Amino acid sequence: MLERLGDEWTLLIIQRALLGATRYGDFAAQLPISHAVLTARLRSLTGEDLLVRHEYRTNPSRSEYLVTPRSRSLWPMLTSIWEWERRWVSDHVQPLPTMRHRECGAAFAPVTTCRACTKPVADNEIQASWGPSGSWERSVPATNNRRRSAGRRAGAALLFPQTMSVIGDRWAFALLVATFVGIARFTDLQAQLGAPPGTISARLSVFTAEGILVTDDDGRYRLTDKGRAFLPVLVTALQWAQRWYPDADGPAVVLTHTGCGQRFVPMLVCDQCAAPLRGPDVLTAP
Ligand SMILES: [Zn+2]
Ligand SMILES: [Zn+2]
């Protein structure tokens, strides 16, 4: 998941595609992206089955880029990112537009509920444990993707500045997940993740500066309200990853809703009309 989505341009292009952009010119007009980067991203998104290229005219050849089932199912994660950035991050270059729910017409916020019992879930009601294919070693693969990190710098701090500090970096993401499951001490974080101390402390400094983590008197790292509010992004990202990149051994992470005791699958509902949200019903003002 981090390989595919740890790049802000990728998320922004998919988001625009979900909102109706199809042609090269649509993306170029809607995003402050260079032609070279847009061309490269459209090619890699097509290769990863996140967009499909469709030639709608020949001579001269004209193509459009359409969402696939794989990218269409990213809407819960993108909606959760949008909500978190809108609510908790104040230093956007331009304010994020309001989200509107087509069904009720209202400006809304997504509420994360449990599909099994349909109740809203609090962050302390989700219990995470490793599944058959899960471990820090397997889930935080030690890859070094130069193309991705170059693109990340180029696209940094556009619409999702702080989200990218979490999901744009595999160590940062793992670190935040570790704090969600209750690992709080520097030495424990380092031992669990197996990362160099400098790597851990650099990520902890960023999260502390962003107000996602705080340290208490005993030197333990704890999630702030803002940090805990990131949970919907983590669980929707995980749901997407496990759906589209399943492991033959079984899931990497198993989530339980302690409120009802059942396996937790996130379901987003509209806070205005309480109806379950569907991707095509989530709109943003232009
Ligand atoms: Zn439940
Ligand atoms: Zn609604």
Side-chain angles (χ1 to χ4, degrees):
M1 187 273 291
L2 295 175
E3 277 302 307
R4 299 295 188 289
L5 305 180
D7 173 290
E8 191 177 18
W9 286 127
T10 294
L11 286 176
L12 289 169
I13 290 168
I14 293 172
Q15 189 215 20
R16 298 327 297 182
L18 287 171
L19 291 170
T22 57
R23 300 184 183 177
Y24 185 95
D26 298 337
F27 297 108
Q30 293 177 23
L31 296 170
I33 189 170
S34 74
H35 287 294
V37 174
L38 178 56
T39 302
R41 285 302 177 282
L42 288 173
R43 193 178 304 127
S44 61
L45 285 165
T46 306
E48 287 159 3
D49 191 30
L50 291 165
L51 290 177
V52 61
R53 187 160 170 255
H54 167 242
E55 193 176 40
Y56 65 89
R57 201 168 84 193
T58 51
N59 197 27
S61 167
R62 292 279 181 271
S63 295
E64 57 187 357
Y65 296 87
L66 307 173
V67 289
T68 62
R70 192 180 293 236
S71 52
R72 197 175 295 121
S73 63
L74 276 170
W75 73 265
M77 181 188 177
L78 286 166
T79 305
S80 300
I81 290 174
W82 196 266
E83 172 62 11
W84 186 77
E85 289 277 347
R86 192 167 66 114
R87 178 138 177 225
W88 295 97
V89 182
S90 55
D91 56 352
H92 288 112
V93 179
Q94 50 195 21
L96 290 180
T98 307
M99 287 187 290
R100 213 159 43 75
H101 184 210
R102 194 197 299 266
E103 209 168 286
C104 70
F108 79 99
V111 176
T112 306
T113 66
C114 166
R115 181 162 288 169
C117 70
T118 73
K119 295 216 168 70
V121 291
D123 58 85
N124 59 5
E125 291 178 343
I126 305 293
Q127 207 172 61
S129 57
W130 289 120
S133 68
S135 68
W136 291 117
E137 296 76 42
R138 286 181 69 169
S139 297
V140 190
T143 57
N144 183 8
N145 189 329
R146 288 221 188 102
R147 175 187 68 79
R148 205 162 58 80
S149 41
R152 194 163 67 235
R153 277 196 300 278
L158 278 173
L159 282 175
F160 309 142
Q162 295 194 1
T163 296
M164 297 321 293
S165 74
V166 183
I167 69 168
D169 176 299
R170 64 201 166 86
W171 288 120
F173 187 85
L175 195 62
L176 196 65
V177 172
T179 56
F180 264 105
V181 300
I183 305 170
R185 291 188 182 281
F186 185 92
T187 47
D188 295 335
L189 288 165
Q190 200 207 327
Q192 287 283 334
L193 271 60
T199 302
I200 301 280
S201 60
R203 306 308 185 275
L204 288 171
S205 310
V206 171
F207 285 157
T208 310
E210 290 179 345
I212 291 172
L213 293 177
V214 284
T215 44
D216 65 17
D217 296 341
D218 296 328
R220 283 186 301 241
Y221 288 88
R222 286 189 301 102
L223 289 157
T224 60
D225 288 347
K226 176 179 175 176
R228 282 195 297 275
F230 201 76
L231 185 74
V233 179
L234 295 183
V235 295
T236 51
L238 192 64
Q239 180 189 33
W240 184 81
Q242 298 198 143
R243 172 170 173 195
W244 292 103
Y245 306 99
D247 192 295
D249 295 343
V253 179
V254 176
L255 301 177
T256 305
H257 178 212
T258 56
C260 70
Q262 303 192 68
R263 176 93 171 261
F264 175 68
V265 177
M267 181 175 77
L268 302 187
V269 305
C270 171
D271 71 335
Q272 299 298 306
C273 71
L277 294 170
R278 300 181 318 129
D281 292 339
V282 175
L283 309 168
T284 57

